[in-house]
Amino acid sequence: MEERRRIGAYGLCREDGRVLLVRGSAAADFPGVWQLPGGGLRHAEHPEAAVVRELAEETGLAVEVTGVRAAVSDVTRYLDLGVALHTDRVIFDVTPVGGTLRDETDATTDLARWCTLDEAAELPLLPFTAELLGLPVDPLPEPTTRGAFAPLSTDRRQRFAAYGLVTDPAGRVLLTMIADGYPGAGKWHLPGGGTDHGEQPAAGLLRELVEEAGQLGRVVDLMAVDNLHNPAALGPEGRPLDWHSVRVIYRVRVDVPTEAVVTELAGGSTARAAWFAQEQVGGLRLTDVAARATGRPGR
């Protein structure tokens, strides 16, 4: 079965004890099933911009992003097409700041409604929505038959990755150095990397932490969502590619730290791993995402 990836941004919008939901139309994969408003990112689009755009399109409401709530993934299998579609979903907390609630027409949703949790519990919900609302998760039917997936681009890529601001009980920070031949070579980076097909973001980060530094960690919370667009990234492919990366950043604690050692499973993109005292971090050459997470200027 062919493996495909997709990144989406969704909004958890609450008002007066109710939550905003939209219903899948006849053109959706799951007609009649309700979910949080949102949808797929355009190439190079920041997830925060995507959720604001999607809420306006699907509900007529202008919203403001107030925080990042969760990052989850799921896989939908289109057996008739031989495709397994992995969707990474970034869920934001959003607040209405204008507009008038209305339904979307001629698209993949057809109703937008404010619902209490009791009302939402009576609706068929997409699993990620039910889980976010703390409601029972019910199995979905097979997705409706859809047209063939568009051919994959050979010059444009979208990547979802999970990284961690990793600390130990002494307050040290764990960083990894990017190997030669990769964008940012020689800079110190946050542990983490691209998630595998079918893998949850937090699980992918903890796997990368073992591979890149030999550490066992636990995820504390989700810090931020980072967006990177490099229209001419030159990596191991040997030619420029239009890369769009969405990176979720977690706080991670290693309760029993050991010497940081790169394993063979890291795949060659990590040259070194090391623990640093807080006062040492400011003197390092950091990637932009590492500088942002540690609160230091990049060099």
Side-chain angles (χ1 to χ4, degrees), residues 89 121 133 173:
R89 305 181 193 267
L133 297 180
V173 177

Side-chain angles (χ1 to χ4, degrees), residues 8-13 20 36-42 45-67 90-99 102 104:
Y10 302 83
L12 180 59
C13 188
L20 184 61
L36 297 179
L41 271 62
R42 297 169 179 169
E45 186 178 35
H46 195 292
E48 289 190 16
V51 74
V52 171
R53 172 181 55 79
E54 287 282 347
L55 264 288
E57 292 174 359
E58 294 183 349
T59 72
L61 296 180
V63 298
E64 177 181 74
V65 175
T66 57
V90 182
I91 297 96
F92 295 94
D93 291 313
V94 300
T95 300
V97 293
R102 53 106 179 115
E104 188 176 26

Side-chain angles (χ1 to χ4, degrees), residues 115-195:
C115 300
T116 66
L117 284 183
D118 287 341
E119 291 169 339
E122 299 299 318
L123 299 174
L125 299 171
L126 283 186
F128 88 95
T129 296
E131 186 173 7
L132 260 293
L133 297 180
L135 297 174
V137 176
D138 295 322
L140 288 171
E142 292 294 325
T144 57
T145 301
R146 55 172 289 169
F149 284 82
L152 291 172
S153 171
T154 58
D155 298 311
R156 175 181 284 186
R157 303 282 175 84
Q158 201 170 54
R159 178 177 184 261
F160 187 87
Y163 291 92
L165 177 60
V166 181
T167 58
D168 71 357
R172 295 184 302 171
V173 177
L174 180 67
L175 297 173
T176 58
M177 179 178 283
I178 299 174
D180 291 341
Y182 292 84
K187 290 188 175 184
W188 289 97
H189 196 29
L190 297 179
T195 59

